[in-house]
Amino acid sequence: MTFNFKDNYILENEVVRLEPLTMSHFDSLVEFSINEPEIWSFNANGPDSRENLNKYIEKALSQKEKLVEYPFIVFDKIKNKVAGSTRFYNISLETKNLEIGFTWYGKEFQGTLLNKNCKYLLLEFAFEKMNLERVGFRANNLNKRSINAMKSIGCVEEGVLRNFSTDAKGERIDAIVLSIIKSEWFTGTKERLKEKIST
């Protein structure tokens, strides 16, 4: 498959639907910005207000225009509600790799099978449709919840980027880097993740 940034890719199963993020989703996401700003405490530039959400979406769409990111809105089909957002970023079709990140969910969706279902669909698309070789992940090294979630889907820890970025308070942070490569996906990671979302 030839990946086209202008195409509207919809990834879904019985639990979740991922569709391209647009500015029209602002009203569906703004309640999280107003009522749950702590969602982004580990990272800078979170959409923790109406103004910042508008900037957040505008920047995501600008990066899509530059052919380096592809943002999605996440819809929980069980609860019949918008749950948050995620995206492909640092996309390099030439070297056949990308990263999955900028992922956040409202508090009522955290700790459910929603995230694993999202990751399954994104990884399946990346490895089996886009024919990529590596999918990377990063997180604030202090964000143990996020790191454990990534490891639970089969990510392998690669290392730590010291003093890499800032958190929401502007303090310098280390970033952990993890990944899944194509051979791992097809020799166990896919099936193990599929079993987890089927329980």
Side-chain angles (χ1 to χ4, degrees):
M1 180 193 102
T2 301
F3 184 78
N4 188 333
F5 285 84
K6 294 184 178 180
D7 284 353
N8 291 322
Y9 297 108
I10 297 176
L11 316 181
E12 67 180 321
N13 59 18
E14 66 279 2
V15 174
V16 64
R17 182 173 73 251
L18 305 177
E19 59 185 65
L21 177 70
T22 68
M23 191 53 75
S24 67
H25 292 120
F26 179 91
D27 289 340
S28 299
L29 296 173
V30 72
E31 65 175 289
F32 301 114
S33 298
I34 295 170
N35 300 322
E36 302 180 24
E38 64 275 17
I39 294 172
W40 304 279
S41 61
F42 283 104
N43 301 96
N45 304 314
D48 55 356
S49 67
R50 293 183 66 91
E51 179 183 5
N52 286 342
L53 175 62
N54 191 69
K55 292 178 181 177
Y56 185 86
I57 297 175
E58 283 184 345
K59 184 173 182 180
L61 298 180
S62 172
Q63 293 295 92
K64 185 178 181 182
E65 287 291 319
K66 295 175 183 176
L67 311 183
V68 292
E69 296 186 4
Y70 195 96
F72 294 94
I73 192 166
V74 179
F75 185 82
D76 187 317
K77 294 170 73 171
I78 305 299
K79 295 178 180 288
N80 198 34
K81 293 180 181 179
V82 169
S85 183
T86 190
R87 74 184 74 165
F88 291 141
Y89 74 107
N90 284 344
I91 299 170
S92 174
L93 299 178
E94 181 180 3
T95 59
K96 294 192 173 185
N97 72 84
L98 56 71
E99 296 185 56
I100 294 174
F102 295 88
T103 303
W104 57 268
Y105 310 113
K107 288 188 287 187
E108 74 170 288
F109 306 96
Q110 297 174 12
T112 70
L113 285 175
L114 180 78
N115 182 55
K116 283 185 173 63
N117 276 273
C118 283
K119 294 301 190 294
Y120 181 88
L121 292 171
L122 290 166
L123 289 163
E124 182 180 52
F125 188 82
F127 287 125
E128 300 181 29
K129 301 297 184 183
M130 297 176 71
N131 195 33
L132 300 184
E133 293 291 334
R134 178 187 181 275
V135 174
F137 300 79
R138 296 184 198 179
N140 183 324
N141 202 36
L142 297 177
N143 190 349
K144 301 308 180 185
R145 180 189 184 99
S146 180
I147 294 168
N148 289 336
M150 289 187 283
K151 289 183 176 179
S152 75
I153 66 169
C155 291
V156 175
E157 183 176 338
E158 295 183 339
V160 174
L161 301 173
R162 298 181 300 157
N163 204 24
F164 180 74
S165 186
T166 57
D167 62 15
K169 296 178 181 178
E171 297 178 357
R172 299 299 303 183
I173 66 165
D174 297 337
I176 188 170
V177 180
L178 307 96
S179 70
I180 297 172
I181 61 175
K182 188 175 183 179
S183 60
E184 294 166 344
W185 177 250
F186 285 110
T187 58
T189 299
K190 176 182 179 178
E191 288 307 312
R192 286 191 294 271
L193 183 52
K194 192 172 184 178
E195 288 177 7
K196 289 181 179 181
I197 65 175
S198 298
T199 57

